[in-house]
Amino acid sequence: MAFYKRIRDLREDHDLTQAQVAEYLSMKQPQYNRYERGLRDIPTDILIALAKLYNTSTDYILGLKDE
């Protein structure tokens, strides 16, 4: 599974909007939207912040693990 599908699924599973996640990451919603659509690679610091937000591993977000 591609990372962009994982971050969208995680966001939806946590009942968050793109705007809420973007605010948590200190960015604008359109920038975050590009990550969810797979138009941009996720920088390492954003990847780590998303893993902390969703209490999961970066490996899971990247699709290296399924748990």
Side-chain angles (χ1 to χ4, degrees):
M1 179 181 296
F3 76 85
Y4 54 89
K5 181 160 176 24
R6 286 258 163 113
I7 62 172
R8 184 186 69 228
D9 289 347
L10 283 165
R11 177 180 57 77
E12 291 173 349
D13 289 347
H14 286 81
D15 296 321
L16 296 170
T17 65
Q18 285 187 352
Q20 290 170 315
V21 176
E23 183 178 337
Y24 172 81
L25 298 171
S26 300
M27 66 177 60
K28 296 187 183 222
Q29 182 272 333
Q31 181 179 358
Y32 176 75
N33 177 269
R34 290 183 196 101
Y35 298 140
E36 276 199 12
R37 291 174 47 211
L39 300 176
R40 293 214 164 225
D41 286 336
I42 300 176
T44 305
D45 60 329
I46 301 298
L47 177 64
I48 292 168
L50 288 171
K52 287 180 180 180
L53 174 65
Y54 299 127
N55 195 30
T56 192
S57 70
T58 56
D59 284 350
Y60 176 77
I61 293 173
L62 293 172
L64 300 175
K65 292 186 178 182
D66 287 331
E67 296 180 14

